[in-house]
């Protein structure tokens, strides 16, 4: 939200629950429970969205402002989710960041944007992020994230983490994105299609990233036997 709307919401809704609020403003705001982030620029017309008579930050501006309060992993998931739902583009976020000039969290945001514009490191969930760390720490061959497979019937399927040469893929099954019958059924059909096309698909859950020894051993067997 814009700093004005955020303060109104904080006073009316959040303050009684002691949740707190983060706001951006060109001037210092001093209210108990509110963390104010100084910005050199006022919310411009292109960065502002009017809904229900309230000014909100446009999605790309919200990501730039979030760089001040999110760590790199949280920022990556938030930004990638935003782009994948087509609410913004990496190029639009980059232009907004340049227009902002200097701000807290700028360096991590710019590093992430540089990677994304090169097609590297895009994630859709914290589980995918944790899975990527497991693969790196185990020093397994470098996989391709969100690898696109074109099936014989012309359909495209995307694999969360894949080794194309070995045709081995990992699918992160997070409860958030696979808990309803529609998504679960679509995932099972997708994995079956990939299996018929010659891929070995391994489902991965959160427990696998907390105790990854078994998963890593299984991957080493599959990647070595190729």
């Amino acid at each position: 939200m814009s700093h004005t709307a955020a303060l109104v919401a904080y006073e009316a809704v959040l303050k009684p629950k002691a949740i707190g609020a983060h706001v951006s403003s060109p001037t210092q705001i001093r209210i108990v429970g509110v963390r104010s982030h100084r910005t050199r620029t006022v919310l411009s017309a292109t960065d502002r969205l009017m809904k229900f008579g309230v000014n909100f930050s446009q999605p790309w501006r919200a990501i730039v402002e979030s760089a001040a309060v999110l760590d790199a992993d949280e920022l990556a998931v938030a930004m990638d989710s935003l782009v994948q739902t087509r609410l913004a583009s990496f190029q639009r976020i980059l232009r907004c960041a340049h227009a902002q000039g200097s701000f807290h969290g700028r360096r991590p945001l710019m590093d992430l944007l540089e990677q994304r514009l090169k097609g590297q490191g895009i994630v859709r969930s914290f589980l995918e992020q944790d899975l990527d760390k497991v693969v790196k720490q185990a020093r397994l061959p470098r996989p391709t994230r969100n690898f696109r497979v074109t099936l014989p019937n012309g359909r495209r399927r995307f694999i969360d983490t894949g080794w194309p040469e070995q045709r081995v893929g990992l699918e992160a099954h997070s409860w958030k994105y696979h808990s309803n019958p529609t998504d679960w059924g679509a995932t099972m059909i997708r994995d079956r299609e990939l299996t018929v096309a010659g891929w070995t698909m391994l489902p991965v859950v959160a427990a696998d990233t907390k105790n990854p020894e078994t998963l890593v051993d299984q991957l080493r067997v599959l990647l070595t036997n190729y």
Side-chain angles (χ1 to χ4, degrees):
M1 289 182 161
S2 68
H3 62 277
T4 304
L7 285 174
V8 171
Y10 174 74
E11 292 288 346
V13 182
L14 301 179
K15 190 174 182 180
K17 299 179 181 180
I19 295 175
H22 289 271
V23 300
S24 297
S25 172
T27 59
Q28 186 67 39
I29 298 173
R30 300 187 183 279
I31 297 179
V32 176
V34 173
R35 182 176 177 185
S36 176
H37 303 280
R38 294 289 294 276
T39 177
R40 295 183 178 181
T41 57
V42 179
L43 198 64
S44 66
T46 56
D47 290 341
R48 187 172 64 245
L49 175 67
M50 179 70 74
K51 274 187 175 279
F52 313 112
V54 176
N55 280 324
F56 291 86
S57 297
Q58 287 281 12
W60 51 85
R61 173 65 179 258
I63 284 293
V64 171
E65 294 179 350
S66 297
V69 296
L70 300 179
D71 63 33
D73 287 346
E74 293 170 332
L75 188 61
V77 172
M79 182 168 63
D80 292 348
S81 298
L82 195 68
V83 172
Q84 288 163 1
T85 52
R86 299 183 179 180
L87 292 174
S89 66
F90 293 125
Q91 292 83 358
R92 189 65 186 84
I93 298 171
L94 181 64
R95 291 199 300 272
C96 183
H98 284 316
Q100 282 290 92
S102 177
F103 56 90
H104 183 62
R106 187 178 194 278
R107 185 68 265 164
L109 176 64
M110 298 303 288
D111 288 344
L112 287 170
L113 283 169
E114 182 179 355
Q115 294 173 16
R116 298 318 189 255
L117 291 172
K118 292 179 180 178
Q120 301 172 357
I122 297 175
V123 295
R124 289 176 291 180
S125 68
F126 287 113
L127 179 54
E128 286 186 29
Q129 222 164 35
D130 292 340
L131 180 58
D132 188 50
K133 293 176 183 178
V134 167
V135 171
K136 288 180 180 179
Q137 291 172 359
R139 297 185 178 181
L140 293 167
R142 184 175 181 178
T144 301
R145 185 181 283 167
N146 295 321
F147 181 72
R148 185 178 69 184
V149 177
T150 302
L151 300 173
N153 60 10
R155 291 180 181 175
R156 295 177 179 178
R157 295 292 181 260
F158 290 87
I159 297 174
D160 290 342
T161 301
W163 289 265
E165 292 185 2
Q166 296 90 341
R167 291 202 171 191
V168 173
L170 301 179
E171 171 68 11
H173 287 277
S174 62
W175 182 255
K176 178 179 179 180
Y177 296 105
H178 297 273
S179 58
N180 67 75
T182 300
D183 290 342
W184 181 262
T187 298
M188 296 302 102
I189 293 172
R190 193 281 309 270
D191 286 355
R192 187 174 69 231
E193 291 174 333
L194 290 168
T195 298
V196 172
W199 281 79
T200 299
M201 296 298 299
L202 297 183
V204 178
V205 295
D208 290 316
T209 62
K210 295 176 181 177
N211 298 287
E213 294 79 10
T214 299
L215 175 63
V216 169
D217 290 341
Q218 292 168 343
L219 282 171
R220 284 201 175 105
V221 170
L222 289 172
L223 297 176
T224 302
N225 288 343
Y226 167 73

